[in-house]
Amino acid sequence: FFFNDTATTEIYTEQIVGSVRCVQETDKGQIVGALVIDKTNGKEFIINSKAVVNATGCFADEVRLTDNPKAEKLITPVAGTHVTLPAKYCNSKYGLLIPKTSDGRVAFILPWLHSTLVGTTDRKVSEPELEPKTPLDDIIFLHKELAKVFPEIEPTELSANIKSKWTGLRPLVKELQPEGSEKKSKNISRKHVIEKTPSGLISTMGGKWTIYRKMGEDTIDEVVKLYQERGFALPQ
């Protein structure tokens, strides 16, 4: 599915395979690799492995359910929209944090690559997408918050000066809440969770780009434990 640090990965692996879909291979109830389907030509091939790590972001539940169809879904995909404006809308040395917007979330205005970066929204989505689109409602929300910071500027001017816009998905891990209570995305954990199932599937979920090395370290710690449990020698 996804990997954001390919350069680092190439140092420690023999080969990287992209644009594939994986179905787990099992032996006596233990996951021992994956049946990989090449999405570019439909061909199938098997990758044998002593450990399988599910690090697929917002799609983690999809992989977990292939291991256990009765597993509780743990990921809440949340969409965040950003826009860029000309550099004149922000001091080149300082950013601005809006600690509480009209719906209780935070927003920011930051200098970024000779432009001004404005974000972000926090909107739950029913199903994750590979290429999420930016809805008009998100742009309107950011316009309204910007209008509070720049009351002398007409909203039409802000709209006309948008240089780019995009929406990304955050894979938030659900927290246990009292039955019947509303699950608000701003209250769902931004922390990461490592799960190991009885069949040996290791899933790393949640977290943020800013802690991806910590997430990787914790994941490898679980892989080492799995090797020890199965009596495998650790790679040198």
Side-chain angles (χ1 to χ4, degrees):
F1 285 83
F2 307 108
F3 201 92
N4 291 321
D5 196 12
T6 304
T8 302
T9 308
E10 287 177 333
I11 298 173
Y12 298 102
T13 59
E14 294 181 1
Q15 186 175 7
I16 295 174
V17 181
S19 299
V20 296
R21 178 174 178 269
C22 296
V23 179
Q24 295 152 24
E25 285 284 293
T26 60
D27 179 21
K28 297 179 181 179
Q30 296 296 299
I31 294 176
V32 294
L35 170 64
V36 179
I37 305 169
D38 189 331
K39 294 170 65 178
T40 61
N41 56 29
K43 293 183 178 180
E44 299 182 359
F45 55 97
I46 293 176
I47 298 177
N48 296 313
S49 176
K50 294 182 175 68
V52 174
V53 175
N54 169 24
T56 54
C58 287
F59 300 91
D61 281 336
E62 183 178 327
V63 178
R64 292 174 63 248
L65 289 171
T66 65
D67 174 51
N68 177 12
K70 296 182 180 180
E72 177 189 1
K73 289 187 176 182
L74 298 179
I75 297 295
T76 297
V78 174
T81 291
H82 302 73
V83 300
T84 59
L85 298 167
K88 66 179 181 180
Y89 289 101
C90 186
N91 187 294
S92 62
K93 296 182 179 180
Y94 306 103
L96 175 66
L97 176 70
I98 305 173
K100 189 174 183 179
T101 60
S102 57
D103 64 358
R105 303 185 181 105
V106 300
F108 55 79
I109 304 171
L110 299 172
W112 184 65
L113 299 178
H114 307 292
S115 298
T116 298
L117 176 64
V118 181
T120 178
T121 58
D122 201 42
R123 172 177 48 83
K124 285 197 290 187
V125 296
S126 56
E127 295 293 336
E129 299 176 86
L130 283 175
E131 299 289 343
K133 296 179 174 59
T134 300
L136 180 59
D137 287 349
D138 281 10
I139 300 298
I140 293 174
F141 170 80
L142 292 175
H143 276 175
K144 289 180 178 179
E145 297 306 321
L146 282 171
K148 298 174 184 177
V149 179
F150 305 111
E152 72 283 0
I153 300 176
E154 292 293 330
T156 52
E157 178 185 338
L158 290 173
S159 179
N161 278 312
I162 290 178
K163 299 169 65 177
S164 64
K165 59 184 178 181
W166 68 91
T167 298
L169 298 180
R170 306 182 189 96
L172 306 187
V173 179
K174 291 182 181 177
E175 291 182 329
L176 294 177
Q177 299 186 26
E179 187 174 349
S181 63
E182 183 182 0
K183 291 183 174 64
K184 295 185 177 180
S185 59
K186 64 181 180 180
N187 295 331
I188 299 174
S189 177
R190 261 68 172 176
K191 297 179 180 180
H192 66 286
V193 172
I194 311 295
E195 176 192 62
K196 181 167 71 67
T197 65
S199 63
L201 176 66
I202 297 172
S203 296
T204 176
M205 298 172 285
K208 303 184 275 191
W209 278 357
T210 50
I211 59 167
Y212 78 95
R213 290 190 179 275
K214 171 61 175 171
M215 295 170 65
E217 180 181 353
D218 291 348
T219 302
I220 294 302
D221 287 345
E222 287 299 321
V223 171
V224 170
K225 292 178 184 177
L226 180 65
Y227 267 55
Q228 293 170 338
E229 291 170 3
R230 293 183 172 181
F232 297 141
L234 295 176
Q236 298 301 316

